[in-house]
Amino acid sequence: FSNSNLNPDPVHMPKEKVFEVLDDLAALEFRQIYWDGGESLLHPDFFEILAYAHERGLGCGAFSAGLPLSNKAVAKKVVDAFQRRHFNVFGIHIDTRDRRIFDQLHANPKELDKRLQGLNNLLDTGFPTDRLMPCITLTRQSAETIEETIDWYVDEIGVRFLELVPFK
């Protein structure tokens, strides 16, 4: 699912097709899948898909911009899926906490507060910081605050690792 826009008529790959792909990957002896790009939490069957991947012996990681996590019920579902071992790492995409920089990178200025609330909800519902993998898209703009952003993730949030994705 590669479209993270909240459009009124989203197109999702049917879960039966996703299950077929997971069966193929398991048969090919894949061991890990990262659900990335767009907003995987918006797929209506995402948690069922994670459970199926787990049953097939596939480890999973999932990524989110954090917007759906601003709903505490969604954050709780993520924590529950983690506790069931349906995935082993969860990534959140917050490039900077600096509003000026964030607004240069994103069209909706209200998103920063929702992303930060989503991260707080995830942590408040018990997600372990050592299994959280922040994702920073490294752009000219985000590079201006990269040191502060990394320090925040490591020193204040307590993450053990993070992902930097160069973008040109």
Side-chain angles (χ1 to χ4, degrees), residues 5 17 36 64 91 102 111 121 140 144 149 164:
N5 293 330
K17 182 64 177 174
D36 198 2
S64 172
F102 187 89
E111 270 190 23
N121 286 347
R140 181 175 295 129
E144 291 181 37
T149 304
L164 294 175

Side-chain angles (χ1 to χ4, degrees), residues 15-34:
K15 72 178 176 185
E16 295 78 16
K17 182 64 177 174
V18 177
F19 290 170
E20 285 180 38
V21 172
L22 293 173
D23 289 339
D24 290 344
L25 293 173
L28 292 168
E29 298 183 2
F30 276 67
R31 295 288 173 241
Q32 184 78 22
I33 297 171
Y34 286 99

Side-chain angles (χ1 to χ4, degrees), residues 4-6 65 67 96 98-116:
S4 63
N5 293 330
L6 295 176
L67 297 173
T96 183
D98 183 291
R99 188 163 306 282
R100 181 185 62 83
I101 300 295
F102 187 89
D103 290 351
Q104 291 175 28
L105 297 170
H106 302 277
N108 184 348
K110 294 179 181 178
E111 270 190 23
L112 178 57
D113 293 334
K114 285 187 128 308
R115 288 178 187 223
L116 293 170

Side-chain angles (χ1 to χ4, degrees), residues 45-85:
D45 301 308
F46 183 65
F47 293 99
E48 188 177 348
I49 290 167
L50 279 178
Y52 187 82
H54 176 73
E55 290 170 15
R56 299 292 294 141
L58 297 163
C60 290
F63 289 85
S64 172
L67 297 173
L69 299 169
S70 64
N71 177 332
K72 289 182 180 181
V74 175
K76 178 76 171 112
K77 282 184 172 184
V78 169
V79 171
D80 290 345
F82 175 79
Q83 291 172 339
R84 289 185 179 101
R85 303 293 185 240

Side-chain angles (χ1 to χ4, degrees), residues 102-152:
F102 187 89
D103 290 351
Q104 291 175 28
L105 297 170
H106 302 277
N108 184 348
K110 294 179 181 178
E111 270 190 23
L112 178 57
D113 293 334
K114 285 187 128 308
R115 288 178 187 223
L116 293 170
Q117 182 61 54
L119 174 60
N120 288 332
N121 286 347
L122 188 65
L123 298 175
D124 289 348
T125 54
F127 196 86
T129 57
D130 67 338
R131 300 312 303 163
L132 183 67
M133 183 168 57
C135 174
I136 301 171
T137 302
L138 190 57
T139 62
R140 181 175 295 129
Q141 295 89 345
S142 68
E144 291 181 37
T145 59
I146 191 71
E147 187 173 351
E148 294 88 353
T149 304
I150 292 173
D151 286 348
W152 170 65

